[in-house]
Amino acid sequence: MAMSFFDQFASPSYLGIPLIAIAIALPWVMYPTPSTRWINNRLITIQGWLINRFTNQLMLPLNVGGHKWALLLTSLMIFLITINMLGLLPYTFTPTTQLSLNMGFAVPLWLATVLIGMRNQPTVALGHLLPEGTPIPLIPILIIIETISLFIRPLALGVRLTANLTAGHLLIQLIATAVFVLLPMMPMVAILTATVLFLLTLLEVAVAMIQAYVFVLLLSLYLQENV
């Protein structure tokens, strides 16, 4: 029984062919394509307004050089939110519960911010490894600590997203199983448990959006340090 709870995180396959590529590509089909007309329908107008508001908020602390990342970060935000929200539907697979996928997003983007900093302002980038005014005996230790914290950043990005979504899905499945088990024996307790399940589902919807936003926001903060 305990092993079946984790079956939902297994990558689906059909005739030995992994279907994770379809699960990753499907969200882009769901968004309406903006038309060339001057007046759009309400859905496209709301979609454009939300994207513009998010992009402005994200690019506000960055200088002009960091604005080149606007398209990439905004697309990543929409992609993660869509995948996380679709994963809350029954009988669906959430690709972002796979640590390998999240690390595939986190490591190249983090490495790109570091390389940009080393190319554009190497003195400032290396200066982050040693805070100003550090006592001389503590310099080697602090350099090692800051270097380790620098390389932990992409791991923290991937693990945070994976752990939050995995924990939420497991908790929903556990409480849903408890509802079905308690329903024949204790209906009132089952109803109360179902209420908790409904509130938890609302919380998971918020977590799915917040974790995608935090992932992109931290990347923008790393970029802000290096541009």
Side-chain angles (χ1 to χ4, degrees), residues 152-212:
I152 284 179
R153 284 180 175 182
L155 182 62
L157 280 176
V159 170
R160 180 187 295 108
L161 183 59
T162 304
N164 281 281
L165 295 179
T166 302
H169 283 64
L170 280 176
L171 197 55
I172 287 177
Q173 187 170 2
L174 284 170
I175 297 179
T177 304
V179 171
F180 282 105
V181 172
L182 293 173
L183 190 58
M185 299 181 295
M186 293 178 285
M188 290 303 300
V189 178
I191 292 175
L192 292 176
T193 309
T195 305
V196 175
L197 177 62
F198 174 73
L199 296 177
L200 179 63
T201 305
L202 295 181
L203 177 63
E204 283 304 310
V205 171
V207 168
M209 295 187 289
I210 291 172
Q211 288 303 317

Side-chain angles (χ1 to χ4, degrees), residues 67-80:
H67 292 177
K68 299 176 183 178
W69 287 61
L71 178 61
L72 175 61
L73 294 179
T74 304
S75 301
L76 180 61
M77 168 76 174
I78 297 172
F79 178 73
L80 291 177

Side-chain angles (χ1 to χ4, degrees), residues 10-24 93:
S11 179
S13 61
Y14 181 72
L15 297 178
I17 302 174
L19 302 179
I20 189 171
I22 299 177
I24 294 175
F93 170 68

Side-chain angles (χ1 to χ4, degrees), residues 9-151:
F9 304 117
S11 179
S13 61
Y14 181 72
L15 297 178
I17 302 174
L19 302 179
I20 189 171
I22 299 177
I24 294 175
L26 183 62
W28 297 114
V29 183
M30 303 181 62
Y31 284 93
T33 304
S35 64
T36 56
R37 300 176 181 177
W38 285 11
I39 301 179
N40 294 318
N41 57 33
R42 292 183 179 89
L43 181 59
I44 296 180
T45 302
I46 294 175
Q47 173 183 305
W49 180 80
L50 290 175
I51 291 175
N52 289 334
R53 291 298 300 170
F54 170 74
T55 305
N56 292 335
Q57 186 70 24
L58 192 65
M59 296 293 111
L60 192 60
L62 299 178
N63 57 23
V64 179
H67 292 177
K68 299 176 183 178
W69 287 61
L71 178 61
L72 175 61
L73 294 179
T74 304
S75 301
L76 180 61
M77 168 76 174
I78 297 172
F79 178 73
L80 291 177
I81 285 182
T82 308
I83 283 185
N84 294 347
M85 297 292 286
L86 289 177
L88 294 174
L89 298 176
Y91 303 104
T92 56
F93 170 68
T94 312
T96 44
T97 56
Q98 306 294 313
L99 182 61
S100 57
L101 177 68
N102 296 331
M103 293 300 294
F105 285 130
V107 173
L109 294 175
W110 165 81
L111 186 60
T113 61
V114 173
L115 293 178
I116 287 176
M118 296 296 294
R119 185 191 66 178
N120 295 339
Q121 43 185 11
T123 305
V124 177
L126 294 176
H128 291 153
L129 301 179
L130 184 63
E132 187 177 356
T134 304
I136 295 179
L138 296 179
I139 288 179
I141 299 176
L142 279 179
I143 291 178
I144 294 174
I145 292 175
E146 291 295 331
T147 303
I148 293 175
S149 66
L150 178 66
F151 284 97

